[in-house]
Amino acid sequence: MAKQVQQLDRVIIRFAGDSGDGMQLTGDRFTAGTAEFGNDLSTLPNFPAEIRAPAGTLPGVSSFQLHFADHDILTPGDAPNVLVAMNPAALKANLGDLPRGADIIANIDEFTKRNLQKVGYAANPLEDESLSEWRVHAVPLTSLTVKALEGFALSKKDAERSKNMFALGLLSWLYHRPTEHTITFLEQKFAKKPDIAKANIAAFQAGWNFGETTESFSVSYEVKPARLAPGVYRNISGNQALAYGLIAASVQSKLPLFLGSYPITPASDILHELSKHKRFGIRTFQAEDEIAGVGAALGAAFGGALGVTTTSGPGVALKAETVGLAVTTELPLIVVDVQRAGPSTGMPTKTEQTDLLMAMFGRNGESPVPIVAPMSPSDCFDAAVEAARIAVKYRTPVMLLSDGYLANGSEPWRLPEISDLPDISQEFTTEPNGADGEFLPFKRDTETLARPWAIPGTPGLEHRIGGIEKADGTGNISYDPNNHDLMVRTRAAKIAGIDVPELEVDDADGDAKVLVIGWGSTYGPIAAAVRRIRRSGGKVAQAHLRHLNPLPANTGDVLKRYDKVLLPEINLGQLALLLRGRYLVDVISYNRVRGLPFKAEELAGVIQDVIDSD
């Protein structure tokens, strides 16, 4: 008898288990199948910083949340409809996020007395009616996996490791996900270990067949493909998109790309990705420390390359002196800061927006730099190209502020047409530019105030370079007070004069009195919250800043157009401080620093409170 198929418009699934249970791989594979199927999607990986926290404990829980739908979505979802709990710790750590009536698929094999005691359960919650408000499916995932792999020459322990593939197969059946992509992936991943590949494929297929034949699941669900704009799509994470954006920037600027980097969570994947693309002339250098990484990148820029360094907050602190050197030598350099929770080492795998003021002011002396912040995982591509455009055109280091949520999260990305990418190439100086035939390394372009970029070794263009203040025009060492004042003001004017697009406002009727403004990764939750308010009849406008220094020229006018301005940030009010100080607007801050992105429902409540406070 055929099982019932129920149509849904969206689903939020969270896979949770020990950090060694393969939840990130499981979530990634389910996401790949979902992208292949054509749904819109957004993901939220969440994992401990420890390589292997104690098994079965709350600190060791790793999870992966996926929101997929038949329409445009903006966030990984506020609360999961389905929780796959591989052990008691995963259940306890995530139950508070689960709405009443949601499904729990629990691996009953791991709900042993010892594992229950590890997380403080006095009794088995799968048996004591404490989960009566949820729909619980107790499935022996581990023993079913071992049973399915009896014909393979694997130890019991090795067979148990494939239980995540069994769970993936079951969920793939439950939500009608394609299977070919996962099978191909497993064949490629374990190409050198064909027996392991076959075992994982067998476990995956056994999970699918279990869903098809068991009476535990009488209904399966279907979420139809989303209606997306025409084009070729792929699923992409923020770090991948940023890496591809840097490659595109290299091509469009006609400059070889050099990455000088020291591994640090959550930025390391950019180094990993770029190291795969040497055929594009990409050179990657894993330095011995953060200072060496940025020094090598700045040296590459001096030599005529597109110099890039990637890091997270603690690394930015170490790179500060060299970024200041790039400011005074006026060389193009891209500094990617994938922000994470701090201070100091903080919470390496959790997200925050707490480096904005460091990006603005975290160097000695007057040393302004442009700041660009992507708003979504796929937008990291465009933000990287934009950062390169500014760096090359204005001869300046640029801070690119991503964060852990964007870096590890993923969404569909429509591949751009090559012809639509901007030409950001600049000419190197090859001839003397002085009236008497000499080379003036700090004679400036009248429009951009950028100095010439001369490749070392170009005949007749020899010049001094270094951190000591330079005389205007000649670049000779200068301690003249008036010259220093001129150079400081000129460098500041160069940054202030960078051409950035005007701030766009989403205010369809033009009669909203409340504006919600944001920057970086808060775009998705803010936009989703604004949609909720509008669906309920409320009037609210939204604006989002990509360029944080310089700010768009119309920013002040936009802020003063509204009676109230609300600014949610995953910090204690850093952009709010800047906006209040510059535009004298009483910005209303809403701040949380929990290491997690905002929830749309949470922000919708805050917006409604601001609207109702008149």
Side-chain angles (χ1 to χ4, degrees):
M1 185 174 179
K3 293 188 177 183
Q4 179 184 350
V5 178
Q6 183 177 334
Q7 296 291 329
L8 300 175
D9 64 346
R10 68 186 188 97
V11 175
I12 303 169
I13 298 174
R14 183 180 297 177
F15 298 92
D18 269 332
S19 56
D21 282 340
M23 292 298 93
Q24 302 306 316
L25 175 62
T26 305
D28 182 68
R29 289 302 91 207
F30 194 92
T31 300
T34 298
E36 180 186 8
F37 188 74
N39 297 120
D40 195 15
L41 63 90
S42 180
T43 69
L44 177 61
N46 191 356
F47 44 88
E50 292 78 13
I51 294 175
R52 183 64 62 86
T57 64
L58 292 173
V61 173
S62 174
S63 68
F64 188 105
Q65 183 164 306
L66 166 67
H67 182 192
F68 61 102
D70 64 3
H71 58 277
D72 171 42
I73 57 173
L74 297 162
T75 74
D78 290 348
N81 309 114
V82 182
L83 171 65
V84 179
M86 302 298 283
N87 59 21
L91 175 64
K92 190 163 191 176
N94 292 281
L95 189 61
D97 294 335
L98 209 61
R100 301 300 187 260
D103 287 287
I104 299 173
I105 300 175
N107 181 14
I108 193 172
D109 288 331
E110 296 299 321
F111 280 70
T112 63
K113 183 177 179 179
R114 184 167 182 267
N115 284 344
L116 291 168
Q117 289 175 342
K118 283 183 180 180
V119 293
Y121 277 126
N124 190 337
L126 303 181
E127 300 172 352
D128 65 2
E129 301 298 323
S130 62
L131 302 177
S132 59
E133 296 181 358
W134 294 273
R135 294 185 294 186
V136 178
H137 308 271
V139 181
L141 295 173
T142 304
S143 56
L144 285 172
T145 302
V146 173
K147 182 71 174 175
L149 301 183
E150 282 182 344
F152 292 84
L154 296 174
S155 66
K156 183 174 181 290
K157 184 177 181 180
D158 287 339
E160 288 177 352
R161 288 175 179 160
S162 297
K163 63 181 179 289
N164 64 324
M165 289 297 103
F166 189 99
L168 177 60
L170 172 58
L171 270 293
S172 296
W173 170 83
L174 192 59
Y175 291 98
H176 293 252
R177 302 295 92 185
T179 61
E180 295 80 6
H181 191 282
T182 295
I183 292 173
T184 301
F185 167 81
L186 292 171
E187 290 173 340
Q188 294 175 347
K189 180 176 177 64
F190 299 107
K192 296 181 179 180
K193 299 179 179 180
D195 290 341
I196 299 297
K198 291 177 182 177
N200 277 279
I201 292 170
F204 173 73
Q205 293 172 331
W208 176 282
N209 293 334
F210 177 78
E212 182 71 27
T213 58
T214 184
E215 295 180 2
S216 300
F217 298 92
S218 59
V219 178
S220 63
Y221 304 93
E222 185 176 49
V223 181
K224 293 186 179 298
R227 294 181 179 178
L228 303 175
V232 177
Y233 286 82
R234 60 155 291 172
N235 184 52
I236 198 165
S237 70
N239 275 346
Q240 284 178 314
L242 207 153
Y244 293 166
L246 291 172
I247 295 171
S250 172
V251 173
Q252 296 302 106
S253 65
K254 300 180 177 62
L255 297 172
L257 176 67
F258 178 90
L259 174 69
S261 183
Y262 180 75
I264 184 172
T265 302
S268 300
D269 284 341
I270 302 171
L271 169 62
H272 300 159
E273 185 63 40
L274 286 176
S275 67
K276 302 175 185 176
H277 300 287
K278 296 180 176 63
R279 65 187 182 278
F280 291 107
I282 309 300
R283 292 188 179 131
T284 54
F285 168 56
Q286 181 175 319
E288 66 269 28
D289 55 43
E290 296 281 5
I291 298 172
V294 68
L298 182 58
F302 178 57
L306 182 63
V308 182
T309 189
T310 55
T311 188
S312 189
V316 176
L318 292 167
K319 295 179 190 292
E321 183 178 5
T322 306
V323 176
L325 178 61
V327 170
T328 194
T329 55
E330 301 188 50
L331 288 168
L333 176 69
I334 300 172
V335 181
V336 178
D337 177 8
V338 185
Q339 300 166 94
R340 72 187 201 190
S344 186
T345 310
M347 299 191 296
T349 60
K350 310 304 178 185
T351 194
E352 275 183 9
Q353 291 183 297
T354 43
D355 293 350
L356 176 57
L357 293 183
M358 179 166 65
M360 284 286 294
F361 306 117
R363 295 160 297 282
N364 67 299
E366 294 286 351
S367 50
V369 299
I371 303 172
V372 178
M375 65 183 185
S376 70
S378 62
D379 188 48
C380 289
F381 177 92
D382 296 311
V385 175
E386 174 66 356
R389 178 191 73 87
I390 293 172
V392 171
K393 182 175 180 179
Y394 293 91
R395 315 284 198 271
T396 177
V398 178
M399 296 290 298
L400 198 162
L401 293 183
S402 178
D403 61 40
Y405 168 44
L406 297 182
N408 295 317
S410 64
E411 65 181 358
W413 174 53
R414 184 172 67 167
L415 274 62
E417 295 292 336
I418 300 300
S419 58
D420 292 338
L421 296 177
D423 180 358
I424 59 175
S425 59
Q426 296 288 316
E427 297 293 330
F428 293 116
T429 298
T430 58
E431 301 291 337
N433 58 357
D436 298 325
E438 76 274 31
F439 176 54
L440 301 176
F442 284 86
K443 180 180 180 181
R444 301 179 183 277
D445 181 277
T446 56
E447 179 183 350
T448 65
L449 298 182
R451 77 174 187 90
W453 191 2
I455 299 298
T458 304
L461 304 189
E462 298 84 359
H463 60 283
R464 289 187 178 90
I465 199 78
I468 301 295
E469 185 61 281
K470 300 143 194 69
D472 181 38
T474 65
N476 294 331
I477 291 174
S478 173
Y479 291 95
D480 177 72
N482 291 329
N483 176 78
H484 179 57
D485 185 83
L486 172 64
M487 295 295 278
V488 166
R489 293 179 185 274
T490 302
R491 288 190 290 262
K494 180 177 70 170
I495 303 306
I498 291 173
D499 60 312
V500 301
E502 288 202 337
L503 179 61
E504 296 182 359
V505 182
D506 176 12
D507 186 3
D509 298 327
D511 57 354
K513 294 183 178 180
V514 174
L515 170 71
V516 186
I517 192 168
W519 68 276
S521 64
T522 59
Y523 171 78
I526 290 174
V530 166
R531 284 182 181 179
R532 295 188 185 200
I533 295 297
R534 289 173 177 171
R535 282 198 299 265
S536 64
K539 294 184 180 295
V540 61
Q542 181 190 0
H544 203 77
L545 289 163
R546 166 184 273 186
H547 296 88
L548 298 164
N549 193 40
L551 290 162
N554 66 329
T555 302
D557 293 335
V558 168
L559 297 177
K560 293 173 182 177
R561 194 186 307 164
Y562 295 89
D563 294 348
K564 296 180 179 179
V565 178
L566 173 65
L567 173 52
E569 296 183 80
I570 310 177
N571 57 44
L572 294 183
Q574 297 189 15
L575 180 59
L577 177 70
L578 298 176
L579 296 182
R580 289 183 190 128
R582 179 163 181 178
Y583 300 110
L584 303 181
V585 172
D586 188 16
V587 174
I588 302 169
S589 281
Y590 180 73
N591 309 111
R592 289 289 185 274
V593 279
R594 299 170 296 182
L596 296 169
F598 286 120
K599 294 183 177 181
E601 182 180 10
E602 169 191 6
L603 292 184
V606 175
I607 295 169
Q608 191 62 56
D609 288 344
V610 173
I611 293 174
D612 294 342
S613 63
D614 283 334

